[in-house]
Amino acid sequence: MRGSYKVEWKKSAVKELKKIDSKYIHRIIEAVEPLTDDPFPPQTRKLVESKSSYRIRIGDYRVVYGVDTENKIISIYRVRHRKDAYRNF
């Protein structure tokens, strides 16, 4: 059952991704792709005070995403450096 979830990048996440140094962008996208098979890999952490928001770590960057298990959709909300990843969320 390969790729049972669909990944949707929010406009804000795409905008943040474009601001990141290009040498990291490929690694970030490669880390997001496997979420289509398993949206909760072992390195995933659930965000405190959130019902369906999680984060994965890619070096110094964090990808914050939500999972809609009913519709099988993963929404990428943020792609930020670790020092800024959790502000105003």
Side-chain angles (χ1 to χ4, degrees):
M1 199 162 154
R2 182 143 171 75
S4 61
Y5 281 80
K6 179 183 176 192
V7 174
E8 292 182 350
W9 289 78
K10 299 295 181 186
K11 287 181 184 180
S12 57
V14 172
K15 192 174 179 182
E16 290 172 349
L17 188 65
K18 289 179 180 180
K19 292 179 183 179
I20 295 171
D21 190 338
S22 61
K23 65 183 177 183
Y24 297 110
I25 292 175
H26 184 69
R27 283 182 59 199
I28 291 168
I29 292 172
E30 279 185 346
V32 168
E33 287 176 359
L35 295 176
T36 61
D37 295 323
D38 179 12
F40 310 106
Q43 70 271 21
T44 300
R45 296 287 178 257
K46 187 173 185 310
L47 296 183
V48 177
E49 298 182 18
S50 173
K51 290 183 180 181
S52 62
S53 292
Y54 301 84
R55 71 107 169 120
I56 54 173
R57 190 178 85 174
I58 303 104
D60 285 341
Y61 290 91
R62 305 294 183 264
V63 174
V64 178
Y65 66 96
V67 180
D68 179 353
T69 53
E70 187 176 311
N71 296 312
K72 300 220 177 245
I73 296 173
I74 298 169
S75 300
I76 308 297
Y77 300 125
R78 290 195 162 153
V79 181
R80 292 187 176 177
H81 191 273
R82 63 189 175 106
K83 68 180 168 95
D84 301 320
Y86 309 107
R87 290 185 187 168
N88 300 325
F89 193 74

